[in-house]
Amino acid sequence: MADITKTVGTGKDYATANLYNAGEGGADPGAGFTAIAECSGYLGSGANINGTFIRGVTFRGDVTWDGTNDSSLSNIEQLTISTGTGVNVEDLRIFTNNQFVSALNYNADFILMDRVVLDNTTTGINAIDINGAFTNGHIRNFVARGGLDTVMAGFNQGTNLTNGLVYGATDKGVEGSSSASMIITDVFAFNNGGQDIDSAGGFTLNDVATEDLTGTYTGYTSSELVNFATGDLRTKSTSFLATAGSPFIGAILEASSGISLTGTTPSSSYNAINSSISLTGEIAVSGATTSYSYSAVSSSVLLTPSIDIIGNTTSYSYTSVNGNIDLSGLISVIGASTNYSYSAQPTSIILQGSISFTGTSTNYAYNALNGTIILKGPVVLNPRNLIRVSRKNNTVRVKRNNNIVRVR
């Protein structure tokens, strides 16, 4: 058996989502597989997904939404989802121009919507109506905008909203009753006519940013986005919201442009107290830098890109107290580095990528006090380098899994 994949759109296997629903509901692809609707272009109006999809169904657009390309998405008008067998919706724009019909009527549990844009260009009705307590449902990495209230979750109603933008409502961004069961996490609500998040709604808020006083973090406007006016809806990598959530607040995060030091820099350092240092762009040190350091207290140092030290660096260090040091990118030291060290107390140092020293490094040390050092990638040293591990009630592990530790 295999996934049952059909195309939906003009000139495809099915011209509209309604025709797909009627034709494929009840099909059984077998255990471990699902029905897949590959969508492109306009998928029709008034669709109701209510077929009995035995293994679930995925509606997947042909363009991945990246926070900048709304107009390129496959789109569907006035969608209702009523089947409880598990519906996934990815990379679609769902909209309405009708003041009496919402863009999305959410009528079942176990619905997962990912990277979706939900639009209401009218003022008479909500962009999204959630019509039940759907605790296993999830709308994430989304934009919901416009309408009377953008998101409506009434008496004992709601689902999970994670990593999204809610704006442009005539009245409230998210409205609910005192018993609404919505869990809202890492969402940014702003530029609404009424409250950004209904203060009387029975919502659970986790790292929610708002322009008014109804969120976890307040006073934030569209200036936190890369270019709201031109439709670039990514959260700026330099914004507070880029690291305030888990891992960020907003729909899509702008990729960091990286760090490049090419001249002579006496000292370059990052210091965070009770918050994390998170770098996603490549770090390249090709000039002479006396000291390059990261220091985080009661938090973590998170580095996901590659780190290339080509120039001369006297001291390159990571220090984290009551937090973790987690590096997943390749570390390459080509120039002369007198001291290169990691220190985590009392938690962990985790190095995911390979570490390569082809230049001169007098001292290379890992220090974890009452914590753990985990090396998952290969470590390559030239004969002049020394690797030291300071141990005091610590565990030192090298996970090999097809990796090697070599001393040349």
Side-chain angles (χ1 to χ4, degrees):
M1 304 293 287
D3 292 339
I4 298 177
T5 302
K6 299 291 183 178
T7 56
V8 184
T10 303
K12 305 298 182 180
D13 294 329
Y14 294 96
T16 67
N18 260 339
L19 290 173
Y20 173 86
N21 176 72
E24 297 299 320
D28 185 0
F33 299 97
T34 189
I36 298 177
E38 296 281 6
C39 304
S40 62
Y42 181 59
L43 307 179
S45 177
N48 189 355
I49 307 305
N50 59 4
T52 304
F53 293 92
I54 296 171
R55 310 289 178 180
V57 60
T58 297
F59 287 83
R60 184 166 59 204
D62 59 345
V63 174
T64 300
W65 184 61
D66 63 7
T68 69
N69 57 347
D70 296 9
S71 61
S72 300
L73 298 180
S74 177
N75 56 93
I76 187 168
E77 189 172 2
Q78 299 158 14
L79 174 65
T80 298
I81 303 178
S82 302
T83 182
T85 53
V87 177
N88 295 340
V89 179
E90 302 172 357
D91 299 306
L92 292 182
R93 176 177 175 260
I94 303 165
F95 73 98
T96 186
N97 298 318
N98 189 324
Q99 64 177 330
F100 303 109
V101 183
S102 298
L104 173 65
N105 273 288
Y106 195 101
N107 296 344
D109 207 352
F110 296 97
I111 298 171
L112 172 60
M113 310 189 80
D114 200 357
R115 297 183 307 276
V116 290
V117 175
L118 300 126
D119 264 334
N120 186 353
T121 62
T122 73
T123 59
I125 200 166
N126 312 307
I128 306 172
D129 273 309
I130 298 173
N131 301 310
F134 304 128
T135 56
N136 299 293
H138 217 142
I139 303 176
R140 64 190 186 194
N141 303 111
F142 70 94
V143 165
R145 58 194 175 202
L148 177 62
D149 300 300
T150 294
V151 183
M152 166 63 77
F155 179 78
N156 195 30
Q157 295 174 356
T159 187
N160 297 282
L161 301 182
T162 303
N163 281 113
L165 302 177
V166 177
Y167 66 89
T170 304
D171 193 8
K172 296 176 182 177
V174 182
E175 183 171 13
S177 73
S178 59
S179 63
S181 54
M182 187 88 74
I183 299 176
I184 307 175
T185 304
D186 296 337
V187 167
F188 179 23
F190 61 97
N191 196 25
N192 295 292
Q195 291 182 322
D196 291 324
I197 305 291
D198 186 359
S199 59
F203 304 130
T204 299
L205 303 184
N206 302 310
D207 293 324
V208 173
T210 58
E211 189 169 359
D212 62 14
L213 298 177
T214 59
T216 313
Y217 309 105
T218 62
Y220 292 93
T221 68
S222 60
S223 62
E224 303 304 315
L225 306 179
V226 174
N227 195 329
F228 179 69
T230 63
D232 190 334
L233 303 178
R234 297 172 297 166
T235 299
K236 289 179 180 176
S237 61
T238 55
S239 168
F240 167 78
L241 304 186
T243 56
S246 51
F248 70 97
I249 296 176
I252 302 289
L253 180 63
E254 177 193 26
S256 171
S257 59
I259 300 168
S260 179
L261 301 178
T262 57
T264 300
T265 306
S267 177
S268 182
S269 63
Y270 301 83
N271 300 286
I273 299 176
N274 296 320
S275 61
S276 296
I277 296 172
S278 180
L279 301 176
T280 58
E282 179 183 6
I283 301 170
V285 180
S286 56
T289 303
T290 303
S291 176
Y292 198 98
S293 65
Y294 305 87
S295 176
V297 178
S298 298
S299 53
S300 299
V301 178
L302 309 173
L303 302 177
T304 58
S306 62
I307 301 171
D308 299 302
I309 302 177
I310 303 170
N312 298 328
T313 305
T314 303
S315 176
Y316 199 103
S317 64
Y318 308 85
T319 303
S320 182
V321 179
N322 295 321
N324 294 328
I325 297 173
D326 191 343
L327 296 95
S328 58
L330 167 70
I331 300 172
S332 179
V333 180
I334 301 172
S337 180
T338 304
N339 183 58
Y340 200 103
S341 65
Y342 305 85
S343 177
Q345 177 185 346
T347 46
S348 301
I349 297 171
I350 303 173
L351 303 179
Q352 307 273 357
S354 63
I355 302 170
S356 177
F357 284 86
T358 55
T360 301
S361 182
T362 305
N363 182 55
Y364 194 98
Y366 304 87
N367 301 287
L369 182 59
N370 297 319
T372 302
I373 298 172
I374 301 175
L375 306 182
K376 294 184 178 180
V379 179
V380 181
L381 306 173
N382 71 22
R384 292 171 293 177
N385 293 330
L386 179 65
I387 182 167
R388 295 176 179 167
V389 178
S390 297
R391 301 183 59 199
K392 183 177 180 181
N393 299 322
N394 295 327
T395 300
V396 178
R397 292 180 289 176
V398 177
K399 294 190 175 182
R400 297 195 58 190
N401 193 18
N402 299 323
N403 292 324
I404 57 173
V405 176
R406 298 194 300 266
V407 177
R408 296 176 176 174

